[in-house]
Amino acid sequence: MSQTILEFLKNNYYFLLYFAVLAIALLRYRRYFDSVLKYFPILIGYTILTEALGFLIANFEEFQINYSEEYPYSNNAIYNIYDLVFFFYFYSIFYKAIKARKLKSPIKYGAIIYAIATVLNPFFENWIVFPQTYASAVGSAVLIMSILLYFIDSKYRMEKNNNLLVWIGIGLLIFNLFFPLIMLTALYNAEFYREFHLRQVHHVLIVAMYGCFITGFLQLKGNFSFKDT
């Protein structure tokens, strides 16, 4: 088992970044504990739990949750559930952080569209066995819109703004601009996906996203100001 874990860490080196972000988020917690990001460490903890469980399901028979003969070690169900939590969490964050009421409405309607996509997607892809590609693409599009609306609302200046949510938004933006394209390529052109090592590109995007998270926490000098309303 130890050899399997070492192989997992070698192929999924970004996994250690989750622990780094969680540790820094907890160390800086007093600076944002009463803000819209107060549950952020819980999300990172849930991410770690999901990745660990996904590893166990994919590698050990006793942890299997899917008993079909064709896909006995599929762990996509837990990642599909994770996507729901991930997207709706960040929709709520940016919705609360935006002050202009007219900029909030698109996020609300976008979240509804994503919810509809998650209901329809299982008719095209078995959600227990396969990633919910179309729903995730819609989820990423809505999240990108939410981030851009927040940037417009805050009129931020990176060189002057001590804003944790700006860095989190940048990280999420970097990841979600490319992730849907990688998923769709894996679905429709698996040969291209393998030939151009898009799985590794996916990992680099994770590193970039969490690197932005770490930067945001490290540069947080004062208390983060957006209250949870």
Side-chain angles (χ1 to χ4, degrees):
M1 181 175 179
S2 59
Q3 186 63 35
T4 305
I5 293 175
L6 289 175
E7 188 68 21
F8 168 79
L9 292 176
K10 179 182 177 181
N11 296 328
N12 302 275
Y13 53 89
Y14 59 87
F15 184 68
L16 298 176
L17 262 181
Y18 298 153
F19 290 96
V21 172
L22 180 59
I24 295 172
L26 291 174
L27 287 172
R28 295 276 176 157
Y29 191 67
R30 64 182 181 85
R31 298 182 184 273
Y32 66 94
F33 73 94
D34 62 344
S35 75
V36 294
L37 289 168
K38 64 183 179 182
Y39 298 120
F40 186 79
I42 296 177
L43 179 72
I44 301 302
Y46 177 47
T47 302
I48 293 172
L49 179 63
T50 299
E51 291 282 9
L53 185 57
F55 164 74
L56 292 173
I57 292 171
N59 290 278
F60 300 98
E61 185 176 357
E62 55 267 32
F63 289 96
Q64 286 183 26
I65 58 174
N66 174 37
Y67 295 99
S68 70
E69 292 184 2
E70 191 174 1
Y71 304 101
Y73 290 92
S74 175
N75 58 8
N76 284 305
I78 64 167
Y79 290 106
N80 291 332
I81 295 171
Y82 174 82
D83 281 351
L84 286 169
V85 175
F86 180 90
F87 284 123
F88 281 119
Y89 170 76
F90 281 111
Y91 296 160
S92 69
I93 291 299
F94 290 108
Y95 182 87
K96 292 174 182 177
I98 290 174
K99 297 178 180 178
R101 188 173 297 274
K102 65 180 180 180
L103 296 179
K104 289 177 175 284
S105 295
I107 298 177
K108 179 173 66 176
Y109 293 121
I112 293 172
I113 292 172
Y114 171 61
I116 294 172
T118 63
V119 173
L120 295 178
N121 204 141
F123 290 100
F124 302 95
E125 299 172 301
N126 185 331
W127 79 273
I128 296 177
V129 175
F130 300 111
Q132 299 298 278
T133 309
Y134 307 114
S136 292
V138 172
S140 289
V142 175
L143 183 54
I144 290 169
M145 176 192 69
S146 303
I147 296 166
L148 295 178
L149 289 173
Y150 171 69
F151 286 171
I152 292 170
D153 182 75
S154 62
K155 298 182 177 63
Y156 76 99
R157 297 290 184 273
M158 276 303 302
E159 67 276 14
K160 298 178 181 178
N161 201 325
N162 180 35
N163 190 334
L164 173 59
L165 192 52
V166 166
W167 282 103
I168 289 177
I170 290 172
L172 291 168
L173 196 60
I174 291 171
F175 182 82
N176 285 279
L177 280 172
F178 298 98
F179 179 59
L181 298 177
I182 292 174
M183 287 190 68
L184 290 168
T185 301
L187 179 63
Y188 287 108
N189 195 336
E191 183 178 346
F192 184 92
Y193 178 86
R194 290 190 295 269
E195 182 179 352
F196 288 90
H197 308 288
L198 294 188
R199 180 178 176 83
Q200 285 68 38
V201 174
H202 177 202
H203 294 171
V204 170
L205 290 173
I206 294 175
V207 171
M209 177 171 64
Y210 278 83
C212 287
F213 293 173
I214 290 174
T215 300
F217 282 110
L218 291 178
Q219 61 81 53
L220 190 59
K221 297 181 177 64
N223 292 335
F224 183 58
S225 59
F226 283 104
K227 301 295 183 181
D228 189 359
T229 57

